[in-house]
């Protein structure tokens, strides 16, 4: 949430650990990630960070089949909501990363 509110401060924090990164490049990458990878209409229904169990189950089944895995893992082995805030506190619409 804090990164969405202040992307530049977030990149500055990362830059302290990795001084070789370029601020303008990382801000552009952050913006693209928010707009194109994290800004799906599904967020309005389930909140940022959550997954749709039906879709996840289908994805697991596809991977098990494609890779001929010996067993199908349960959703709880792949994903947990344990670390998510309550649904009422999750973002349901992402702001533009540039402000």
């Amino acid at each position: 949430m804090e990164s969405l509110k202040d992307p530049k401060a977030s990149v500055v924090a990362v830059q302290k650990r990795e001084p070789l990164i370029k601020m303008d490049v990382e801000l552009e990458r952050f913006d693209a990630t928010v707009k194109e990878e994290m800004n799906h209409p599904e967020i309005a229904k389930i909140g940022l960070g959550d997954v749709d169990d039906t879709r996840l189950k289908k994805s697991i089944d596809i991977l098990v089949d494609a890779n001929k895995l010996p067993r199908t893992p349960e959703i709880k082995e792949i994903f947990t909501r344990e670390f998510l805030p309550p649904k009422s506190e999750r973002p349901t619409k992402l702001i533009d990363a540039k402000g």
Side-chain angles (χ1 to χ4, degrees):
M1 288 299 299
E2 297 303 315
S3 293
L4 293 172
K5 291 177 188 173
D6 192 350
K8 188 171 183 177
S10 300
V11 174
V12 167
V14 172
Q15 201 172 40
K16 287 178 184 177
R17 182 170 173 103
E18 182 49 69
L20 296 177
I21 67 170
K22 294 183 166 79
M23 178 65 69
D24 58 333
V25 172
E26 295 307 320
L27 279 173
E28 188 173 331
R29 184 190 321 253
F30 185 89
D31 186 54
T33 298
V34 169
K35 284 181 177 176
E36 297 169 24
E37 297 177 25
M38 297 173 65
N39 205 15
H40 191 276
E42 187 176 65
I43 291 171
K45 294 189 296 185
I46 63 176
L48 182 63
D50 205 349
V51 298
D52 176 271
D53 287 346
T54 303
R55 250 183 354 112
L56 181 55
K57 173 75 170 106
K58 185 176 180 180
S59 297
I60 292 169
D61 291 343
I62 289 169
L63 287 169
V64 167
D65 184 54
N67 293 291
K68 310 269 187 272
L69 300 179
R71 69 178 197 84
T72 302
E74 294 181 37
I75 289 175
K76 67 182 180 180
E77 294 177 86
I78 307 296
F79 179 78
T80 180
R81 292 177 178 85
E82 183 178 336
F83 302 102
L84 290 177
K87 188 174 180 178
S88 62
E89 295 177 23
R90 292 181 217 150
T92 56
K93 183 176 184 200
L94 298 182
I95 58 173
D96 181 350
K98 288 185 179 174

